[in-house]
Amino acid sequence: MQMQERIEAALSQITRATAEIIDLERIETLIKRYVETGERYTVKAGFDPTGSDLHLGHTVLLSKLRTFQQNGARIQLLIGDFTATIGDPTGKSETRKVLDRETVLANAKTYTDQVFKILDPDLTDVVFNSEWLEALGASGLVALTTTYNVARMLERDDFEKRYKAGKSISVSEFIYPLLQGYDSVALKSDIEIGGTDQKFNLLMGRHLQRVYGVGKEQAVLMMPILEGLDGVQKMSKSLDNYIGITESPKDIYAKTLSISDDLMWRYYELLSEKSLEEIAQMKDEVAAGRLHPKAAKEALAMELVARFYDKAAAKEAKEAFDRVFKAKQTPDDMPEFSLESGTWICKALTETGLEPSTSQARRDIKQGAVRIDGEKVQDERLALDKAGTYVLQVGKRKFAKVKVG
RNA sequence: GGUGAGUUACCCAAGUGGCCAACGGGGGCAGACUGUAAAUCUGCUGGCAUUUGCCUUCGGAGGUUCGAAUCCUCCACUCACCA
């Protein structure tokens, strides 16, 4: 039966590469109803309005939301402007600064601009949780806190670890999951999706929907956390192990190629449009030696560039990359500087931003990491006194063009 | 409120009067090897000074001393146990 096939196809797309689903039957029911009657359901996903650029880690979630949109969902894109002032308990996070209204709106704007590169704006409602959380008031907040107890709160993995390690836990951090859960009450969400690290908070939504008598308990769909370029830690801006979706094609391409082969398969699974079967097949071919792992990685890098730009940009990024690194040529778009004749090499390096300090510059020269026009600099006392244009290089990837005289 | 322990560089963590810009590990950077991979090995990892010199750093502020990360006083913060 055709309808049954549509339902199954939708479910298979939705469950692809998920980490865990709680109450799958509910999701099935919602999709079935949509296919049969056209009635839509809501999927909530929360984001902090910290104003940072989106990276591939976010796209794992966003792509899943897109899949939901294609299968009957309206997305409740929750901007946690109120909760952002507390900070999700992630171990290190101190209580954050209260963001003023203007900053929040500005951040939300840069956020949604990027989000709509992936999501369909017509099927997305952008909502701010300050709307109902500010109205909650002290009595409302107290009522909210009575629905949970400390022992259960401490079950949260993060709290437990910190507690055992003798680290500080602020009382406000206990409030965070409650407020996030309350968002689900206010929005009457059918489904909420988030990373596996959000499990506790996501389940809180179910708990509170039950306590507050919303009449339904949201299903929860968790996506795996995308590891950053180091392959170990979560991709995040603060660890500087991320690929931003607004980065240049060149950078996206280069960063993708720098990941390990193991991590590549992970990225394929979570980020690629390829089906899991296709990916498994590629993996087999690499294992059998029929496909060079680097070729597979190049394909992934190009797919990612094409996703955020287009195929032409992807091709260009690959060519530029090959030119620089395979043929050992210099890139064609280096920052340019002009320097006075007689400039000391270490000063030249700091002034062009290739090195943070002259001490660091000296160390790198000693180690043979600095080159001028491809020639290793041997003497740290070298002065650039011959007029002309040179290419300064530190390590493999930092370049600058300088004009002397 | 009481008692005890603690706060060291990006992170963890040694150091309990001079040999301390401060052991070790992680991370980072660089070199070798490669596919600008990964893993591995090696070096470096406060700043300034065109080379053994100067300045700043061990929670904060004072003090003792020829000399302090180390001793004393006060303050701030964290944790544990008790209330």
Side-chain angles (χ1 to χ4, degrees):
Chain A
M1 180 179 165
Q2 206 185 353
M3 213 167 246
Q4 190 58 33
E5 278 167 23
R6 274 182 67 192
I7 294 168
E8 273 168 23
L11 277 171
S12 119
Q13 279 182 56
I14 283 167
T15 54
R16 176 192 196 269
T18 52
E20 190 178 350
I21 295 173
I22 291 163
D23 206 350
L24 179 61
E25 297 80 59
R26 188 167 159 71
I27 297 178
E28 283 171 1
T29 310
L30 291 166
I31 287 172
K32 190 157 180 272
R33 194 185 65 190
Y34 170 70
V35 171
E36 285 168 2
T37 71
E39 191 180 341
R40 294 187 177 273
Y41 52 94
T42 55
V43 178
K44 170 196 168 200
F47 293 89
D48 269 345
T50 47
S52 51
D53 287 335
L54 294 180
H55 54 64
L56 291 184
H58 297 109
T59 67
V60 172
L61 224 56
L62 291 170
S63 303
K64 187 58 72 181
L65 289 173
R66 175 82 192 124
T67 304
F68 268 114
Q69 284 184 327
Q70 287 158 348
N71 291 288
R74 276 202 79 79
I75 302 305
Q76 298 169 321
L77 189 73
L78 179 93
I79 307 291
D81 59 337
F82 190 91
T83 34
T85 60
I86 298 175
D88 188 21
T90 51
K92 285 270 155 57
S93 64
E94 304 293 319
T95 304
R96 297 185 207 167
K97 269 185 252 136
V98 177
L99 299 168
D100 63 74
R101 193 78 208 148
E102 272 173 42
T103 314
V104 166
L105 288 175
N107 288 348
K109 175 84 168 60
T110 56
Y111 228 86
T112 48
D113 282 349
Q114 296 176 64
V115 163
F116 291 140
K117 277 188 169 192
I118 297 173
L119 292 187
D120 178 352
D122 293 334
L123 287 172
T124 307
D125 300 312
V126 178
V127 289
F128 296 83
N129 65 1
S130 60
E131 196 182 308
W132 51 86
L133 291 181
E134 265 168 17
L136 196 59
S139 58
L141 182 63
V142 171
L144 186 58
T145 57
T146 59
T147 65
Y148 223 70
N149 66 52
V150 172
R152 289 203 62 195
M153 199 58 94
L154 282 172
E155 284 170 9
R156 184 182 153 133
D157 188 48
D158 190 88
F159 287 143
E160 196 187 350
K161 277 195 197 131
R162 283 161 68 191
Y163 192 71
K164 281 190 177 150
K167 295 254 169 73
S168 161
I169 300 172
S170 161
V171 172
S172 68
E173 294 179 78
F174 278 2
I175 310 280
Y176 188 97
L178 290 167
L179 293 180
Q180 183 175 330
Y182 188 77
D183 291 340
S184 290
V185 173
L187 289 170
K188 300 182 171 61
S189 310
D190 292 309
I191 301 173
E192 176 162 11
I193 87 172
T196 49
D197 56 344
Q198 290 288 309
K199 183 169 183 176
F200 186 89
N201 296 354
L202 297 169
L203 289 173
M204 187 64 84
R206 276 170 76 83
H207 168 78
L208 291 177
Q209 281 181 335
R210 179 168 62 241
V211 171
Y212 280 80
V214 172
K216 58 184 165 191
E217 287 175 41
Q218 66 183 18
V220 168
L221 187 147
M222 280 163 276
M223 293 304 294
I225 301 300
L226 186 72
E227 291 84 356
L229 301 173
D230 53 56
V232 180
Q233 291 194 270
K234 173 181 177 176
M235 181 175 283
S236 79
K237 193 157 194 176
S238 53
L239 292 171
D240 196 23
N241 63 356
Y242 69 100
I243 300 178
I245 70 171
T246 54
E247 288 191 72
S248 69
K250 196 181 71 183
D251 287 338
I252 294 177
Y253 188 87
K255 283 186 177 183
T256 306
L257 275 205
S258 79
I259 64 176
S260 76
D261 291 353
D262 284 344
L263 190 60
M264 164 174 78
W265 297 117
R266 180 86 172 146
Y267 277 30
Y268 255 118
E269 195 182 315
L270 292 177
L271 299 170
S272 172
E273 303 260 308
K274 284 195 194 327
S275 72
L276 294 179
E277 292 73 38
E278 281 176 276
I279 295 169
Q281 199 185 335
M282 273 178 92
K283 213 169 169 176
D284 285 345
E285 289 198 16
V286 169
R290 286 194 299 272
L291 179 66
H292 194 292
K294 183 156 190 238
K297 207 178 288 173
E298 283 169 345
L300 174 67
M302 285 184 75
E303 182 183 338
L304 292 176
V305 175
R307 162 106 36 98
F308 304 114
Y309 293 90
D310 52 53
K311 285 221 169 96
K315 194 157 169 263
E316 209 173 290
K318 178 180 173 359
E319 281 165 5
F321 182 89
D322 289 347
R323 204 162 46 242
V324 175
F325 293 104
K326 280 196 180 149
K328 296 237 177 194
Q329 286 173 4
T330 50
D332 38 59
D333 55 340
M334 288 177 270
E336 289 183 40
F337 300 85
S338 49
L339 299 170
E340 277 176 41
S341 173
T343 303
W344 178 33
I345 179 67
C346 292
K347 272 276 168 285
L349 290 169
T350 53
E351 274 178 36
T352 51
L354 295 181
E355 293 281 19
S357 68
T358 58
S359 297
Q360 183 65 43
R362 283 164 191 275
R363 282 194 288 268
D364 279 341
I365 289 170
K366 236 174 253 170
Q367 302 205 97
V370 176
R371 290 163 189 270
I372 297 177
D373 286 340
E375 290 288 315
K376 247 183 217 173
V377 176
Q378 309 281 355
D379 184 2
E380 62 181 86
R381 284 172 295 187
L382 182 83
L384 301 171
D385 37 36
K386 252 207 283 188
T389 305
Y390 305 97
V391 173
L392 296 184
Q393 181 184 358
V394 178
K396 285 174 195 155
R397 38 191 108 177
K398 282 183 283 185
F399 294 90
K401 192 178 269 182
V402 295
K403 207 170 172 183
V404 175

